[in-house]
Amino acid sequence: MSYLSINNIEVIYDHVILVLKGVSLQVPQGKIVALLGANGAGKSTTLKSISNLLRAERGDVTKGSVEFKGERIDQKTPAELVKKGVIQVMEGRHCFGHLSIEENLLTGAYTRSQSRAELRESLDKVYAYFPRLKTRRTSQAGYTSGGEQQMCAIGRALMAKPEMILLDEPSMGLAPQIVEEIFEIVKDLNSKENVSFLLAEQNTMVALRYADFGYILENGRVVMEGEAEDLRTNEDVKEFYLGLS
Ligand code: ATP
């Protein structure tokens, strides 16, 4: 049985714009899978079709299915999915700028009823993975750096005890050193907490260093897939996506 499985998904925006043209992909339990491709290839749309966040953008899944642990999840609301352990961390981070870092983290726990002691434990766990968030816990999120806001968004997802995180462009707009710091934490969460990741990234080079497996999307179709190591050394990938030839 596959863990997360997307089967032949088609997505149309505004009833006319066909954006995903039959995308299929699998995320095995405990793995990091990278979803790669240029700007506009359909990476975010794929993640939103899993987390059911398309409706707000006038998008519809018109074909295909999504299964998590053998159960159809494509009709579940985002809140139901969070309870099942499937959580999306949106592109652009979406922290509440006027709330402190700690208040932001606490909002992540609201769909999972947790006692005060459990909340404390969850916060301590987030701070153990993200020591920067601990030092900034009383700072207003809107005044923290881009890297800290990205960490806050992942930390907030962690508060809901996820099994599967859909992570959209974590490297966007961040300095290379911060990107590495974030990917190291993703790897740690994967190996120590057994969180699986589907990671949408334009930064092919970095993503393939941390992922186990990769899919490359072009114009709403998967055009290549393989073990991360094989993709990294594939001549076509190097030429088109890594800018090396
Ligand atoms: P990016 O890195 O820029 O987010 P992406 O690979 O994640 O790229 P998507 O955001 O999924 O790509 O967009 C895929 C295509 O769908 C693009 O052509 C985009 O213009 C279009 N699109 C995305 N959202 C909408 C929307 N709400 N209405 C209409 N078209 C949309």
Side-chain angles (χ1 to χ4, degrees):
M1 179 181 73
S2 190
Y3 193 58
L4 178 74
S5 173
I6 303 168
N7 315 302
N8 204 22
I9 281 283
E10 184 180 278
V11 171
I12 297 183
Y13 284 111
D14 284 322
H15 304 291
V16 287
I17 310 165
L18 178 61
V19 167
L20 295 190
K21 303 161 185 167
V23 169
S24 297
L25 60 87
Q26 320 285 325
V27 182
Q29 184 165 21
K31 298 290 182 196
I32 301 176
V33 173
L35 183 58
L36 307 164
N39 195 352
K43 304 179 297 296
S44 297
T45 303
T46 305
L47 296 196
K48 287 178 198 160
S49 71
I50 304 167
S51 54
N52 218 337
L53 289 168
L54 282 173
R55 194 101 0 121
E57 301 192 22
R58 299 176 51 83
D60 285 306
V61 177
T62 44
K63 252 192 220 159
S65 64
V66 183
E67 289 171 22
F68 183 59
K69 297 199 273 191
E71 185 193 354
R72 285 283 292 258
I73 57 167
D74 37 78
Q75 298 303 322
K76 307 273 184 214
T77 64
E80 286 169 334
L81 290 172
V82 171
K83 286 194 181 133
K84 291 197 171 293
V86 179
I87 300 183
Q88 176 157 359
V89 176
M90 304 274 277
E91 185 179 18
R93 306 184 264 281
H94 294 270
C95 282
F96 299 110
H98 59 290
L99 298 182
S100 70
I101 290 286
E102 186 151 303
E103 286 164 341
N104 265 283
L105 294 176
L106 288 170
T107 63
Y110 90 102
T111 45
R112 291 251 168 144
S113 42
Q114 298 183 38
S115 66
R116 283 180 87 86
E118 279 176 308
L119 276 181
R120 190 66 256 168
E121 211 176 286
S122 299
L123 272 177
D124 286 344
K125 181 179 273 185
V126 173
Y127 290 146
Y129 281 101
F130 297 99
R132 274 169 182 260
L133 294 183
K134 188 168 186 181
T135 40
R136 302 286 266 143
R137 68 187 184 279
T138 56
S139 306
Q140 208 172 318
Y143 291 108
T144 62
S145 70
E148 286 160 349
Q149 289 185 38
Q150 180 64 68
M151 290 177 191
C152 179
I154 301 172
R156 189 171 58 188
L158 206 53
M159 291 294 289
K161 304 181 188 294
E163 290 185 42
M164 169 90 234
I165 293 183
L166 311 169
L167 186 53
D168 202 355
E169 299 267 2
S171 77
M172 196 169 62
L174 302 181
Q177 193 191 333
I178 304 293
V179 172
E180 294 294 337
E181 198 177 323
I182 287 172
F183 272 85
E184 285 294 336
I185 296 168
V186 164
K187 194 83 188 164
D188 251 15
L189 288 170
N190 171 249
S191 60
K192 296 185 187 144
E193 305 292 329
N194 202 28
V195 180
S196 310
F197 283 87
L198 179 58
L199 176 74
E201 256 302 340
Q202 272 190 59
N203 194 335
T204 309
M205 178 74 99
V206 175
L208 287 178
R209 266 201 285 114
Y210 287 90
D212 299 295
F213 200 86
Y215 290 86
I216 298 181
L217 272 185
E218 246 176 53
N219 276 322
R221 286 199 174 89
V222 173
V223 292
M224 206 184 280
E225 62 180 84
E227 298 290 333
E229 185 57 35
D230 294 340
L231 289 178
R232 224 149 48 94
T233 50
N234 180 292
E235 290 303 321
D236 291 339
V237 176
K238 279 206 276 193
E239 191 173 336
F240 292 112
Y241 295 98
L242 306 180
L244 313 164
S245 50

